[in-house]
Amino acid sequence: MKESFVKYLLCPGCRNSNFILENKTEDDREVRDADLVCQSCKKVYAIKRGLIFLYDTLSPEVLYEREAYAKDNATRFTKDDREVRMMQLSRENAFSVLAKENDLKTKKILELGAANAWLSSYLAKSNDCVAMDMYYEKPNGLEAAEENMKTNNVFLERVVADMIDLPFINEAFDMVIICAALHHSSNLATTLNEIQRVLKDGGKLLLLNEPSNGMFGTNERAIIDNDMVEGFNEERYSILTWLRYVRQAGFQAKAYLPDNMSSVLSSRNHNFLAALWRSSFEKIKFIKSFLSLPILTVFDGFFNIVAIKATKR
């Protein structure tokens, strides 16, 4: 953690931003270990190996999910074909969406549910990025972010905290990005209200690769049910419910099908539909946008939401 980042941090105990660093050790890049002391309530939080551990209590859902991740990492050494496929599609869609953000430079960006920060590390090439997650252990948690930082020759802050209680001051960020992670929140409304709080007026929220339930389900639902039994918090909402929650939090929002919809269809062996989508709809933005909400309402699928925080008058 760079010492200049302290001014953006909010104490989970007293909700003040009044920290000092004590007992710190540094390298040539950042503070590696220290006590983060709130001068208002005297609570002490830890900085370990550059990660900021900034929370008091954790919801039962988060505790169960942390246990599920730990068990999964201890018993499985490779990802199955489904996970590899979904990860590849998720990254392809994310990079496509971000490529269309013409002013995505010199922004202060918060990524929630960042895992090993592969996306934050990509964005940090031209932006000031903060990666946050509750799970930090290697190989998939925030501790692994350093490997992506080295690969991309970038620096980013790493914060271990719960997304229902963001430990940042009001209006700290220009953009919040969440990639396939918001459905793990133990309280969607609270998380969205927290995102609204830490975004500047006119700031943007990008939800990428989130899942929605349509009128007709797929065999994916059985897999999700099993994940929930294992302890993973896999909440599912209809696309209309997603939009309602986002708008109630104070955003202007619109939902879209994944940018790589043809690849998604091909991955599910719907080759005819993939070819039809690619030839008839993919290049016609109006039709593509018009079809997004009806398709997501009828069928299970994944979506992107682009939301803008309303500007105060």
Side-chain angles (χ1 to χ4, degrees):
M1 184 204 80
K2 292 190 182 297
E3 195 160 349
S4 59
F5 186 56
V6 170
K7 64 184 179 183
Y8 293 100
L9 300 177
L10 196 68
C11 177
C14 66
R15 309 302 290 177
N16 287 313
S17 179
N18 193 19
F19 284 115
I20 59 171
L21 294 176
E22 295 182 352
N23 305 316
K24 64 181 179 180
T25 59
E26 304 175 70
D27 60 17
D28 57 355
R29 184 180 61 177
E30 64 175 346
V31 175
R32 294 295 292 173
D33 298 280
D35 293 326
L36 187 63
V37 183
C38 178
Q39 296 183 88
S40 297
C41 70
K42 308 306 179 185
K43 285 195 173 185
V44 180
Y45 301 91
I47 299 171
K48 298 179 181 179
R49 302 174 300 281
L51 274 66
I52 310 165
F53 291 78
L54 203 49
Y55 58 88
D56 284 334
T57 59
L58 298 175
S59 65
E61 293 87 353
V62 168
L63 291 172
Y64 294 148
E65 191 157 47
R66 279 187 51 79
E67 292 177 6
Y69 274 117
K71 181 179 178 181
D72 194 56
N73 280 336
T75 57
R76 287 201 306 151
F77 298 99
T78 59
K79 298 183 183 296
D80 60 34
D81 290 343
R82 172 178 171 269
E83 288 177 301
V84 172
R85 171 177 61 84
M86 293 184 69
M87 184 179 295
Q88 290 172 340
L89 291 170
S90 178
R91 292 193 179 205
E92 184 180 273
N93 174 57
F95 289 140
S96 178
V97 172
L98 292 171
K100 295 186 293 188
E101 292 290 323
N102 297 324
D103 61 343
L104 198 56
K105 289 184 179 180
T106 66
K107 301 288 187 185
K108 193 165 190 67
I109 298 174
L110 169 64
E111 184 191 2
L112 298 180
N116 61 13
W118 62 268
L119 185 54
S120 293
S121 297
Y122 167 78
L123 292 167
K125 295 175 183 178
S126 56
N127 299 277
D128 183 7
C129 292
V130 178
M132 195 191 101
D133 205 308
M134 193 61 251
Y135 192 70
Y136 61 89
E137 290 90 343
K138 290 182 177 180
N140 300 314
L142 279 179
E143 286 182 334
E146 287 200 82
E147 297 170 15
N148 285 314
M149 290 161 60
K150 290 177 182 177
T151 298
N152 290 284
N153 192 29
V154 297
F155 177 84
L156 54 92
E157 300 291 354
R158 293 90 68 209
V159 179
V160 181
D162 191 337
M163 67 173 74
I164 66 170
D165 188 14
L166 301 182
F168 308 108
I169 62 173
N170 294 356
E171 301 183 1
F173 299 98
D174 302 297
M175 179 179 286
V176 174
I177 297 177
I178 312 177
C179 185
L182 186 55
H183 64 284
H184 289 280
S185 171
S186 60
N187 190 315
L188 182 58
T190 298
T191 298
L192 286 166
N193 285 331
E194 279 288 272
I195 292 170
Q196 198 266 4
R197 178 183 64 80
V198 302
L199 266 177
K200 296 176 182 178
D201 286 350
K204 183 176 288 188
L205 167 63
L206 290 181
L207 301 183
L208 306 175
N209 301 299
E210 290 292 347
S212 64
N213 277 354
M215 296 168 59
F216 299 100
T218 66
N219 59 2
E220 291 281 324
R221 291 196 184 184
I223 298 173
I224 299 307
D225 289 342
N226 183 68
D227 287 343
M228 294 184 73
V229 170
E230 294 293 328
F232 294 97
N233 189 42
E234 291 279 352
E235 299 294 339
R236 289 295 189 271
Y237 311 94
S238 71
I239 190 60
L240 296 178
T241 300
W242 274 105
L243 285 169
R244 175 167 56 83
Y245 272 110
V246 174
R247 288 166 178 164
Q248 285 178 345
F251 291 94
Q252 299 171 347
K254 192 168 183 179
Y256 301 91
L257 287 163
D259 264 20
N260 58 339
M261 187 64 184
S262 58
S263 296
V264 172
L265 291 169
S266 294
S267 74
R268 297 179 178 179
N269 297 317
H270 300 317
N271 296 323
F272 172 76
L273 292 176
L276 179 64
W277 185 267
R278 191 180 300 111
S279 61
S280 301
F281 306 132
E282 200 163 74
K283 296 180 181 180
I284 306 175
K285 293 183 180 179
F286 172 76
I287 296 179
K288 184 179 177 181
S289 177
F290 176 79
L291 289 173
S292 291
L293 196 57
I295 290 175
L296 289 166
T297 300
V298 175
F299 301 104
D300 284 6
F302 292 86
F303 64 87
N304 305 318
I305 282 181
V306 178
I308 306 296
K309 177 180 174 178
T311 304
K312 296 176 183 177
R313 294 184 177 180

